[in-house]
Amino acid sequence: MDDAEAVRRVLAGDDGAFRVLVDRHGNGLHRFCRARLGNDDDAEDAVQDVLVRAFRSLGRYDPGRSFAAWLFAIAANRVKTRYRARFMELRLAERAQAERSAEEPVLALESGVEFQALDRMAAEELRAAVGTLAADRRVPVELYYFAGLSVAETAAALGLGTEAVKSRLFRARKELASILGETGQPTEPMKGRS
Amino acid sequence: MKRLPGSEDMRAQARKRALEALDRRLADGEGGSDALGGLLSRDPEAAVATADAVMARVGRGTVRGHAGFRAAYVLAAAAALVVVSSLLTLALSGGRDVVEVHFVLAAPEADSVSLAADFNGWSLDTHVLERREDGTWEIVVPLSKGASYRYGFVVDGERWVPDPRSSILLDDGFGGTSSSISL
């Protein structure tokens, strides 16, 4: 069942069909919300909030549009209005958390644990870096990279043309490469290996 | 047991990993992608709990009676909307037993506003206000004279707002207040 069919069924009275949309888009929504809000609990609350709002607004969804684009337009607005005041402090908290994680010694009993710790740190570094971008680049990055929307869907969600989105994503990618690449190189031989 | 490299080197590896994740996303092209799903993982139990909570809430979309009103009353963790004011005007119909009551609520950031009251069984669907260009919402309801009515506004299907201009606020028995008018 594609998104348009699921919406048709919900509008016809089959509320259960909404679960298809919840399951299909929940993870992308979570990644998007988590990027802004800084912790999983707030992200889960925001996902729930966005999906309930989407359900209640389904009558205004245009089936000719991408459902993902419509849904994430709601998400972008809701996260902005509900959590605007927290965003600045969360950016600082993200950096602090990344620092603390890097300083903790890790005893790896198996390689899987190492990669999990490294992935968590990589996620924190990525979120912190994205958080430093200007809003006109940050939101397209969050939609395209974190939520995994297509370029066209990202453009539709933001009310922009696809070329404008591509341009912003290109500049953002360069900026992120600079942020993540230029300050992380060790200047002395690695220490601590056994 | 093996100790990982020092903190600076770990951070450098993490950043490299972050950049690699971005490259994987780019490699998927202009279509949709789940390339960052592995790096930005979500607790599967939390995901199911959230999905179940969503379905439980949307299943309560239509409420009837006072118990249903309780289901529609949600304490918001963060105020998303600014409700500025409401205005209640009476258009006396002169000689008839019915008064047309004009309910208005200013809520420019709302997506929907309903009037829930004892005269409609506290339904969220029976009296849905219409949005005007200036961001206010309104509805005109004919009510019988000689009676008192309890009511409130429900914003976006989940936030209960008593009439801030009403001089009469009554305990609704669920920890909140509803407004009252007498005709």
Side-chain angles (χ1 to χ4, degrees), chain A residues 15 19 22 26-27 30-31 44 48-49 53 55-56 60 78 99 102 105-109 114-115 118-119 121-123 125 127 144-146 148-151 166 173 180 183-184 190-191, chain B residues 1-7 9-15 17 19 22-23 25-26 29-34 36-37 39-40 42 46 50-55 57-58 61 80 111 156 158:
Chain A
D15 290 352
R19 184 68 183 239
V22 171
N27 286 346
H30 183 267
R31 289 195 293 272
E44 293 292 350
Q48 188 183 144
D49 176 55
R53 287 179 70 88
F55 176 86
R56 299 194 193 287
R60 278 175 278 157
R78 292 300 294 165
E99 299 267 356
V106 177
L107 295 176
L109 300 180
E114 291 180 45
F115 284 114
L118 212 47
D119 274 351
M121 191 181 302
E125 290 284 344
R127 289 190 192 102
Y144 178 77
Y145 285 99
F146 286 68
L149 296 191
S150 68
V151 169
K166 285 183 193 176
R173 176 66 181 82
L180 292 168
T183 60
M190 288 188 297
K191 297 178 181 178
Chain B
M1 294 214 273
K2 184 171 85 172
R3 183 181 293 273
L4 284 180
S7 62
D9 190 64
M10 239 187 114
R11 192 184 306 171
Q13 290 186 51
R15 286 177 172 166
R17 236 172 148 75
L19 284 171
L22 295 181
D23 288 339
R25 171 55 185 106
L26 282 174
E30 294 187 9
S33 165
D34 193 36
L36 263 63
L39 189 69
L40 304 171
R42 183 186 186 194
T50 294
D52 288 345
V54 169
M55 296 310 296
R57 286 175 67 182
V58 302
D111 289 330
D156 292 344
E158 58 187 16

Coordinates of all heavy atoms in Angstrom, one line a residue, chain A residues 15 19 22 26-27 30-31 44 48-49 53 55-56 60 78 99 102 105-109 114-115 118-119 121-123 125 127 144-146 148-151 166 173 180 183-184 190-191, chain B residues 1-7 9-15 17 19 22-23 25-26 29-34 36-37 39-40 42 46 50-55 57-58 61 80 111 156 158:
Chain A
D15 N -9.1 4.1 10.1 CA -8.1 4.7 10.9 C -6.8 3.8 11.0 O -5.7 4.3 11.1 CB -8.5 5.1 12.3 CG -9.5 6.2 12.4 OD1 -9.7 6.8 11.3 OD2 -10.1 6.4 13.4
R19 N -1.5 3.4 10.4 CA -0.3 2.8 10.9 C 0.7 2.5 9.8 O 1.9 2.5 10.1 CB -0.7 1.4 11.6 CG 0.4 0.7 12.3 CD 0.9 1.4 13.5 NE 2.0 0.8 14.2 CZ 2.0 0.4 15.4 NH1 0.9 0.5 16.1 NH2 3.0 -0.2 16.0
V22 N 2.6 5.7 9.7 CA 3.4 5.8 10.9 C 4.7 5.0 10.9 O 5.8 5.5 11.2 CB 2.6 5.4 12.2 CG1 3.4 5.4 13.4 CG2 1.4 6.4 12.4
G26 N 8.2 6.9 10.4 CA 8.6 7.2 11.8 C 10.1 7.4 12.0 O 10.5 8.3 12.7
N27 N 10.9 6.5 11.4 CA 12.3 6.6 11.6 C 12.9 7.8 11.0 O 13.8 8.5 11.6 CB 13.0 5.3 11.0 CG 12.8 4.1 11.9 OD1 12.3 4.2 13.0 ND2 13.1 2.9 11.3
H30 N 12.1 10.6 13.2 CA 12.9 10.6 14.4 C 14.2 11.2 14.2 O 14.8 12.0 15.0 CB 13.0 9.2 14.9 CG 13.7 9.1 16.2 ND1 15.1 8.8 16.3 CD2 13.3 9.2 17.5 CE1 15.4 8.8 17.5 NE2 14.4 9.1 18.3
R31 N 14.9 10.8 13.1 CA 16.2 11.3 12.8 C 16.2 12.9 12.6 O 17.0 13.6 13.1 CB 16.8 10.7 11.5 CG 17.2 9.2 11.7 CD 18.1 8.7 10.6 NE 17.3 8.7 9.3 CZ 16.6 7.7 8.9 NH1 16.6 6.6 9.6 NH2 16.1 7.7 7.7
E44 N 11.1 11.4 20.3 CA 9.9 10.5 20.3 C 8.7 11.3 20.5 O 7.6 11.1 19.9 CB 10.1 9.4 21.3 CG 11.2 8.4 21.0 CD 10.9 7.5 19.8 OE1 9.8 7.6 19.2 OE2 11.9 6.9 19.3
Q48 N 5.6 11.8 17.8 CA 4.2 11.5 18.1 C 3.3 12.7 17.8 O 2.3 12.7 17.2 CB 4.1 11.1 19.6 CG 2.7 10.6 20.0 CD 2.6 10.3 21.5 OE1 1.5 10.6 22.0 NE2 3.6 9.8 22.1
D49 N 3.8 13.9 18.2 CA 3.1 15.1 18.0 C 2.8 15.4 16.5 O 1.7 15.7 16.1 CB 3.9 16.3 18.6 CG 3.2 17.6 18.4 OD1 2.1 17.8 18.7 OD2 3.9 18.5 17.9
R53 N -0.8 15.4 14.5 CA -1.2 16.6 13.7 C -1.5 16.2 12.3 O -2.4 16.7 11.7 CB -0.1 17.7 13.8 CG -0.1 18.3 15.2 CD 1.0 19.4 15.2 NE 0.7 20.5 14.4 CZ 0.0 21.6 14.8 NH1 -0.4 21.6 16.0 NH2 -0.3 22.6 14.0
F55 N -2.4 13.4 11.1 CA -3.7 12.6 11.0 C -4.8 13.6 11.0 O -5.8 13.5 10.2 CB -3.8 11.7 12.2 CG -5.1 10.9 12.2 CD1 -5.3 9.8 11.5 CD2 -6.1 11.4 13.0 CE1 -6.5 9.1 11.5 CE2 -7.4 10.7 13.1 CZ -7.5 9.6 12.3
R56 N -4.8 14.6 11.9 CA -5.9 15.5 12.0 C -6.0 16.5 10.9 O -7.0 17.1 10.7 CB -5.8 16.3 13.4 CG -5.9 15.3 14.6 CD -6.1 16.1 15.9 NE -5.9 15.3 17.0 CZ -6.6 14.3 17.5 NH1 -7.7 14.0 16.8 NH2 -6.3 13.6 18.6
R60 N -6.6 17.9 4.4 CA -6.0 19.0 3.7 C -4.8 18.6 2.8 O -4.2 19.4 2.2 CB -5.6 20.2 4.6 CG -6.8 21.0 4.9 CD -6.4 22.1 5.9 NE -6.4 21.6 7.3 CZ -5.7 22.1 8.3 NH1 -4.9 23.1 8.1 NH2 -5.8 21.6 9.5
R78 N 6.5 22.3 13.3 CA 6.3 22.0 14.7 C 7.5 22.0 15.5 O 7.5 22.5 16.7 CB 5.6 20.6 14.7 CG 4.3 20.5 14.2 CD 3.3 21.4 14.9 NE 3.1 21.0 16.2 CZ 2.5 21.8 17.2 NH1 2.2 23.0 16.9 NH2 2.4 21.3 18.4
E99 N 32.7 16.1 23.6 CA 33.9 16.2 24.3 C 34.1 15.1 25.3 O 35.1 14.5 25.5 CB 34.0 17.6 25.0 CG 34.0 18.8 24.0 CD 35.4 19.2 23.6 OE1 36.3 18.7 24.2 OE2 35.5 20.1 22.8
A102 N 34.7 11.7 23.9 CA 36.0 11.5 23.4 C 37.0 11.3 24.5 O 38.0 10.6 24.3 CB 36.4 12.7 22.6
P105 N 37.9 6.7 28.5 CA 38.6 5.5 27.9 C 37.7 4.4 27.7 O 36.7 4.2 28.5 CB 39.6 5.2 29.0 CG 39.0 5.8 30.3 CD 38.2 7.0 29.8
V106 N 37.8 3.7 26.6 CA 36.9 2.6 26.3 C 37.7 1.3 26.2 O 38.7 1.2 25.5 CB 36.2 2.8 24.9 CG1 35.4 1.7 24.6 CG2 35.4 4.1 25.0
L107 N 37.3 0.3 27.0 CA 37.9 -1.0 26.9 C 37.1 -1.9 26.0 O 36.0 -2.2 26.3 CB 38.1 -1.6 28.3 CG 39.0 -0.9 29.2 CD1 39.0 -1.5 30.6 CD2 40.4 -0.9 28.7
A108 N 37.6 -2.2 24.8 CA 36.8 -2.9 23.9 C 37.0 -4.4 24.0 O 38.1 -4.9 23.9 CB 37.2 -2.5 22.4
L109 N 36.0 -5.2 24.4 CA 36.1 -6.6 24.5 C 35.9 -7.3 23.2 O 36.3 -8.4 22.9 CB 35.0 -7.1 25.5 CG 35.1 -6.5 26.9 CD1 34.1 -7.1 27.8 CD2 36.5 -6.8 27.5
E114 N 33.5 -1.4 20.0 CA 34.2 -0.3 19.5 C 33.4 0.5 18.5 O 33.3 1.8 18.5 CB 35.5 -0.7 18.8 CG 36.5 -1.3 19.6 CD 37.8 -1.8 18.8 OE1 38.2 -0.9 18.0 OE2 38.2 -2.9 19.0
F115 N 32.9 -0.2 17.5 CA 32.2 0.5 16.4 C 30.9 1.2 16.9 O 30.5 2.3 16.4 CB 31.9 -0.4 15.3 CG 33.1 -0.7 14.4 CD1 33.6 -2.0 14.4 CD2 33.7 0.3 13.7 CE1 34.8 -2.3 13.6 CE2 34.9 0.0 13.0 CZ 35.4 -1.2 12.9
L118 N 32.0 4.3 18.5 CA 32.5 5.3 17.5 C 31.3 5.8 16.7 O 31.3 7.0 16.3 CB 33.4 4.5 16.5 CG 34.6 5.3 15.9 CD1 35.3 6.1 16.9 CD2 35.5 4.3 15.2
D119 N 30.3 5.0 16.4 CA 29.1 5.5 15.7 C 28.4 6.5 16.5 O 27.9 7.5 16.0 CB 28.2 4.3 15.4 CG 28.5 3.6 14.1 OD1 29.4 4.1 13.4 OD2 27.9 2.5 13.8
M121 N 29.6 8.5 18.7 CA 30.4 9.7 18.7 C 30.3 10.4 17.3 O 30.2 11.6 17.2 CB 31.9 9.4 19.0 CG 32.7 10.7 19.2 SD 34.4 10.3 19.6 CE 34.2 9.3 21.0
A122 N 30.3 9.6 16.3 CA 30.1 10.2 14.9 C 28.8 10.9 14.8 O 28.7 11.9 14.2 CB 30.3 9.0 13.9
A123 N 27.8 10.2 15.3 CA 26.4 10.9 15.3 C 26.4 12.2 16.0 O 25.8 13.2 15.6 CB 25.4 9.9 15.9
E125 N 29.0 14.1 16.6 CA 29.8 15.1 15.9 C 29.0 15.7 14.7 O 29.1 16.9 14.4 CB 31.1 14.4 15.4 CG 32.1 14.1 16.4 CD 32.9 15.3 16.9 OE1 32.8 16.4 16.2 OE2 33.5 15.3 18.0
R127 N 25.7 15.8 14.3 CA 24.6 16.7 14.8 C 25.1 18.0 15.2 O 24.6 19.1 14.9 CB 23.8 16.0 15.9 CG 23.0 14.9 15.5 CD 22.1 14.4 16.7 NE 21.5 13.2 16.4 CZ 21.9 12.0 17.0 NH1 22.9 12.0 17.8 NH2 21.3 10.9 16.6
Y144 N 17.3 16.2 3.8 CA 17.9 15.3 2.8 C 18.8 14.2 3.4 O 18.7 13.0 3.0 CB 18.8 16.2 1.8 CG 19.5 15.4 0.8 CD1 18.9 14.9 -0.4 CD2 20.9 15.2 0.9 CE1 19.5 14.2 -1.4 CE2 21.6 14.5 -0.1 CZ 20.9 14.0 -1.2 OH 21.6 13.3 -2.2
Y145 N 19.6 14.6 4.4 CA 20.5 13.6 4.9 C 19.9 12.8 6.1 O 19.9 11.6 6.1 CB 21.8 14.3 5.4 CG 22.7 14.7 4.3 CD1 22.8 16.0 3.9 CD2 23.6 13.8 3.8 CE1 23.6 16.4 2.9 CE2 24.5 14.2 2.8 CZ 24.5 15.5 2.3 OH 25.4 15.9 1.3
F146 N 19.4 13.5 7.1 CA 18.9 12.9 8.3 C 17.5 12.2 8.0 O 17.4 11.0 8.3 CB 18.6 13.9 9.4 CG 19.9 14.3 10.0 CD1 20.8 15.1 9.3 CD2 20.2 14.0 11.3 CE1 22.0 15.6 9.9 CE2 21.4 14.4 11.9 CZ 22.3 15.2 11.2
G148 N 16.3 11.6 5.0 CA 16.4 10.8 3.8 C 15.5 11.1 2.7 O 15.2 10.3 1.8
L149 N 14.9 12.3 2.7 CA 14.0 12.7 1.6 C 14.8 12.9 0.3 O 16.0 13.2 0.4 CB 13.3 14.0 2.0 CG 12.4 14.1 3.2 CD1 11.6 15.4 3.2 CD2 11.4 12.9 3.2
S150 N 14.1 12.8 -0.8 CA 14.7 13.1 -2.1 C 14.9 14.6 -2.2 O 14.3 15.3 -1.4 CB 13.8 12.5 -3.2 OG 12.6 13.3 -3.2
V151 N 15.6 15.0 -3.2 CA 15.8 16.4 -3.5 C 14.5 17.0 -3.7 O 14.2 18.1 -3.2 CB 16.8 16.6 -4.6 CG1 16.8 18.1 -5.1 CG2 18.2 16.2 -4.3
K166 N 19.5 22.0 -4.3 CA 20.8 21.3 -4.6 C 21.9 22.3 -4.3 O 23.0 21.9 -3.8 CB 20.8 21.0 -6.1 CG 20.0 19.8 -6.5 CD 20.2 19.6 -8.0 CE 19.2 18.6 -8.6 NZ 19.3 18.5 -10.0
R173 N 27.4 20.8 2.3 CA 28.4 19.6 2.3 C 29.8 20.1 2.4 O 30.6 19.6 3.2 CB 28.2 18.8 1.1 CG 29.1 17.6 0.9 CD 28.9 16.6 2.0 NE 29.8 15.5 1.9 CZ 31.0 15.5 2.3 NH1 31.5 16.5 2.9 NH2 31.8 14.4 2.2
L180 N 34.2 19.2 9.9 CA 34.5 17.8 10.4 C 35.9 17.4 10.0 O 36.4 16.5 10.7 CB 33.5 16.8 9.9 CG 32.0 17.0 10.4 CD1 31.1 16.1 9.6 CD2 32.0 16.6 11.9
T183 N 39.5 20.2 11.8 CA 39.9 20.3 13.2 C 40.2 18.9 13.9 O 40.6 18.8 15.0 CB 38.9 21.0 14.1 OG1 37.6 20.3 14.0 CG2 38.7 22.4 13.5
G184 N 39.9 17.8 13.1 CA 40.0 16.5 13.8 C 41.3 15.8 13.6 O 41.5 14.7 14.1
M190 N 49.5 8.5 17.5 CA 48.5 8.0 18.3 C 49.1 7.4 19.6 O 50.1 6.8 19.6 CB 47.7 6.9 17.6 CG 46.8 7.5 16.5 SD 45.8 6.2 15.8 CE 47.0 5.1 15.1
K191 N 48.4 7.6 20.7 CA 48.9 7.2 22.0 C 47.9 6.1 22.5 O 46.7 6.1 22.2 CB 49.0 8.3 23.0 CG 50.0 9.4 22.6 CD 50.0 10.5 23.6 CE 51.0 11.6 23.1 NZ 50.9 12.7 24.0
Chain B
M1 N 42.2 -7.8 26.3 CA 41.4 -6.6 26.2 C 42.2 -5.5 25.4 O 43.4 -5.5 25.6 CB 41.0 -6.0 27.5 CG 40.0 -7.0 28.2 SD 38.8 -6.1 29.2 CE 39.7 -5.9 30.7
K2 N 41.5 -4.7 24.8 CA 42.2 -3.7 23.9 C 41.7 -2.3 24.3 O 40.5 -2.1 24.5 CB 41.9 -4.0 22.5 CG 42.7 -3.1 21.5 CD 42.5 -3.6 20.1 CE 41.2 -3.1 19.5 NZ 41.2 -3.5 18.1
R3 N 42.6 -1.4 24.4 CA 42.2 0.0 24.7 C 42.2 0.8 23.4 O 43.1 0.7 22.6 CB 43.1 0.6 25.7 CG 42.8 2.1 26.1 CD 43.8 2.6 27.1 NE 43.8 1.9 28.3 CZ 43.0 2.2 29.3 NH1 42.1 3.2 29.2 NH2 43.0 1.5 30.4
L4 N 41.2 1.6 23.2 CA 41.1 2.4 22.0 C 42.1 3.5 22.1 O 42.6 3.9 23.2 CB 39.7 3.0 21.9 CG 38.6 2.1 21.4 CD1 37.3 2.8 21.3 CD2 38.9 1.4 20.1
P5 N 42.4 4.1 20.9 CA 43.4 5.2 20.9 C 42.8 6.4 21.8 O 41.7 6.4 22.2 CB 43.4 5.6 19.4 CG 43.0 4.4 18.7 CD 42.0 3.7 19.6
G6 N 43.8 7.4 22.0 CA 43.4 8.5 22.8 C 42.2 9.3 22.3 O 41.8 9.2 21.1
S7 N 41.8 10.3 23.1 CA 40.5 11.0 22.8 C 40.6 11.8 21.4 O 39.6 11.8 20.7 CB 40.2 11.9 23.9 OG 41.1 12.9 24.1
D9 N 42.4 11.3 18.8 CA 42.3 10.4 17.6 C 40.9 9.8 17.5 O 40.5 9.6 16.3 CB 43.4 9.3 17.8 CG 43.5 8.5 16.5 OD1 43.9 9.1 15.5 OD2 43.1 7.3 16.5
M10 N 40.3 9.5 18.6 CA 38.9 8.9 18.5 C 38.0 9.9 17.9 O 37.2 9.6 17.0 CB 38.4 8.6 19.9 CG 38.1 7.1 20.1 SD 37.3 6.8 21.7 CE 35.7 6.3 21.1
R11 N 38.2 11.2 18.3 CA 37.3 12.2 17.7 C 37.5 12.3 16.2 O 36.6 12.5 15.4 CB 37.5 13.5 18.4 CG 36.4 14.5 18.0 CD 36.7 15.9 18.6 NE 36.9 15.8 20.0 CZ 37.3 16.8 20.8 NH1 37.6 18.0 20.2 NH2 37.4 16.7 22.1
A12 N 38.8 12.2 15.8 CA 39.1 12.3 14.4 C 38.5 11.2 13.6 O 37.9 11.3 12.5 CB 40.6 12.3 14.2
Q13 N 38.5 10.0 14.2 CA 37.9 8.8 13.6 C 36.4 9.0 13.5 O 35.7 8.6 12.5 CB 38.2 7.5 14.3 CG 39.6 7.1 14.2 CD 39.8 5.7 14.9 OE1 39.1 4.8 14.7 NE2 40.8 5.6 15.8
A14 N 35.8 9.6 14.5 CA 34.4 9.8 14.5 C 34.0 10.8 13.4 O 33.0 10.6 12.8 CB 33.9 10.3 15.9
R15 N 34.7 11.8 13.3 CA 34.4 12.8 12.3 C 34.5 12.2 10.9 O 33.7 12.5 10.0 CB 35.3 14.0 12.4 CG 34.9 14.9 13.6 CD 35.8 16.0 13.9 NE 35.3 16.9 14.9 CZ 36.0 17.8 15.5 NH1 37.3 18.0 15.2 NH2 35.5 18.5 16.5
R17 N 34.1 9.1 10.2 CA 32.9 8.3 10.0 C 31.7 9.1 9.6 O 30.8 8.7 8.8 CB 32.7 7.5 11.3 CG 32.6 6.1 11.2 CD 32.6 5.5 12.6 NE 31.9 4.2 12.6 CZ 32.3 3.1 12.1 NH1 33.5 3.1 11.6 NH2 31.6 2.0 12.1
L19 N 31.6 11.9 8.0 CA 31.8 12.3 6.6 C 31.5 11.2 5.7 O 30.9 11.4 4.6 CB 33.2 12.9 6.4 CG 33.4 14.3 6.9 CD1 34.9 14.7 6.8 CD2 32.6 15.3 6.2
L22 N 27.8 10.8 5.2 CA 27.3 11.8 4.3 C 27.5 11.4 2.9 O 26.7 11.5 2.0 CB 27.9 13.2 4.6 CG 27.6 13.9 5.9 CD1 28.3 15.2 6.0 CD2 26.1 14.0 6.1
D23 N 28.7 10.8 2.6 CA 29.1 10.4 1.3 C 28.2 9.2 0.8 O 27.8 9.1 -0.3 CB 30.6 10.0 1.2 CG 31.5 11.2 1.3 OD1 31.0 12.3 1.0 OD2 32.7 11.0 1.7
R25 N 25.2 8.8 1.7 CA 23.9 9.4 1.3 C 23.9 10.0 -0.1 O 23.0 9.8 -0.9 CB 23.5 10.5 2.3 CG 22.2 11.3 2.0 CD 21.0 10.5 1.7 NE 19.9 11.2 1.2 CZ 19.4 11.2 0.0 NH1 20.1 10.5 -0.9 NH2 18.3 11.8 -0.4
L26 N 25.0 10.7 -0.3 CA 25.2 11.3 -1.7 C 25.2 10.3 -2.8 O 24.7 10.4 -3.9 CB 26.4 12.2 -1.7 CG 26.4 13.5 -1.1 CD1 27.7 14.2 -1.1 CD2 25.3 14.4 -1.8
G29 N 22.1 9.2 -4.5 CA 21.5 10.0 -5.5 C 20.4 10.9 -5.0 O 20.3 11.1 -3.8
E30 N 19.7 11.5 -6.0 CA 18.7 12.5 -5.6 C 17.4 11.9 -5.1 O 16.5 12.6 -4.7 CB 18.4 13.4 -6.8 CG 19.6 14.2 -7.2 CD 19.3 15.2 -8.3 OE1 18.1 15.4 -8.7 OE2 20.2 15.8 -8.9
G31 N 17.3 10.6 -5.1 CA 16.1 9.9 -4.6 C 16.1 9.8 -3.1 O 17.0 10.4 -2.4
G32 N 15.1 9.1 -2.5 CA 15.1 9.0 -1.1 C 16.2 8.0 -0.6 O 16.8 7.2 -1.4
S33 N 16.5 8.0 0.7 CA 17.7 7.2 1.1 C 17.5 7.0 2.6 O 17.0 7.8 3.4 CB 19.0 7.9 0.8 OG 20.1 7.3 1.6
D34 N 18.0 5.8 3.0 CA 18.1 5.5 4.5 C 19.6 5.4 4.9 O 19.9 4.7 5.8 CB 17.3 4.2 4.8 CG 17.1 4.0 6.2 OD1 16.9 5.0 7.0 OD2 17.2 2.8 6.7
L36 N 21.7 7.1 6.4 CA 22.2 7.5 7.7 C 21.5 6.7 8.8 O 21.7 7.0 10.0 CB 22.0 9.0 7.9 CG 23.2 9.8 7.7 CD1 23.7 9.8 6.2 CD2 23.0 11.3 8.1
G37 N 20.6 5.8 8.4 CA 19.9 5.0 9.4 C 20.7 4.2 10.3 O 20.4 4.1 11.5
L39 N 23.8 5.0 11.3 CA 24.6 5.9 12.2 C 23.6 6.5 13.2 O 24.0 6.7 14.4 CB 25.3 6.9 11.3 CG 26.2 7.8 12.1 CD1 27.5 7.0 12.5 CD2 26.7 9.0 11.3
L40 N 22.5 6.9 12.7 CA 21.5 7.6 13.6 C 20.4 6.6 14.0 O 19.2 6.8 13.6 CB 20.9 8.8 12.9 CG 22.0 9.8 12.4 CD1 21.3 10.8 11.5 CD2 22.7 10.5 13.5
R42 N 17.6 4.3 16.0 CA 16.5 4.6 16.9 C 16.2 3.3 17.7 O 16.3 2.2 17.2 CB 15.3 5.0 16.1 CG 14.1 5.4 16.8 CD 12.9 5.6 15.9 NE 11.7 6.2 16.5 CZ 10.5 6.2 15.9 NH1 10.4 5.7 14.7 NH2 9.5 6.7 16.5
A46 N 11.3 1.9 21.6 CA 10.7 3.3 21.7 C 9.9 3.6 20.4 O 8.9 4.2 20.5 CB 11.8 4.3 21.9
T50 N 6.0 4.6 20.5 CA 5.5 5.9 19.9 C 4.4 5.6 18.9 O 3.4 6.3 18.8 CB 6.7 6.6 19.2 OG1 7.6 7.0 20.2 CG2 6.2 7.8 18.4
A51 N 4.6 4.6 18.0 CA 3.6 4.3 17.0 C 2.3 3.8 17.7 O 1.2 4.3 17.3 CB 4.1 3.1 16.1
D52 N 2.4 3.1 18.7 CA 1.2 2.6 19.5 C 0.5 3.8 20.1 O -0.7 3.9 20.1 CB 1.6 1.6 20.6 CG 2.0 0.3 20.0 OD1 1.7 0.0 18.8 OD2 2.5 -0.5 20.8
A53 N 1.3 4.8 20.6 CA 0.7 6.0 21.2 C 0.0 6.8 20.2 O -1.1 7.4 20.4 CB 1.8 6.8 21.9
V54 N 0.6 6.9 19.0 CA 0.0 7.7 17.9 C -1.4 7.1 17.6 O -2.4 7.8 17.5 CB 0.9 7.7 16.7 CG1 0.1 8.3 15.5 CG2 2.1 8.6 17.0
M55 N -1.4 5.8 17.4 CA -2.6 5.1 17.0 C -3.7 5.2 18.1 O -4.9 5.3 17.8 CB -2.3 3.6 16.6 CG -1.4 3.4 15.5 SD -1.9 4.4 14.0 CE -3.5 3.6 13.6
R57 N -4.0 7.7 20.1 CA -4.5 9.1 20.1 C -5.4 9.3 18.9 O -6.5 10.0 19.0 CB -3.4 10.1 20.1 CG -2.7 10.1 21.5 CD -1.5 11.0 21.5 NE -1.8 12.4 21.2 CZ -0.9 13.4 21.1 NH1 0.3 13.1 21.2 NH2 -1.3 14.6 20.9
V58 N -5.1 8.8 17.7 CA -5.9 9.1 16.6 C -7.2 8.3 16.7 O -8.2 8.8 16.1 CB -5.2 8.8 15.2 CG1 -3.9 9.6 15.1 CG2 -4.9 7.3 15.1
G61 N -10.0 10.4 18.1 CA -10.3 11.6 17.4 C -11.7 12.2 17.6 O -11.9 13.4 17.6
A80 N 2.7 25.4 22.3 CA 3.0 25.6 20.9 C 2.3 26.8 20.3 O 2.7 27.3 19.3 CB 2.6 24.4 20.1
D111 N -4.1 24.9 13.6 CA -4.6 24.2 12.4 C -6.1 24.0 12.4 O -6.7 23.8 11.4 CB -3.9 22.9 12.2 CG -2.4 23.2 11.8 OD1 -2.1 24.2 11.1 OD2 -1.6 22.3 12.1
D156 N -6.4 22.3 17.7 CA -5.7 21.2 17.1 C -6.0 19.8 17.6 O -5.2 18.9 17.7 CB -4.2 21.4 17.2 CG -3.7 22.6 16.4 OD1 -4.5 23.1 15.5 OD2 -2.6 23.1 16.6
E158 N -6.4 18.7 20.5 CA -5.7 18.2 21.7 C -5.5 19.2 22.8 O -5.3 18.8 23.9 CB -4.4 17.6 21.3 CG -3.4 18.5 20.7 CD -2.2 17.8 20.1 OE1 -2.2 16.6 20.0 OE2 -1.2 18.5 19.9

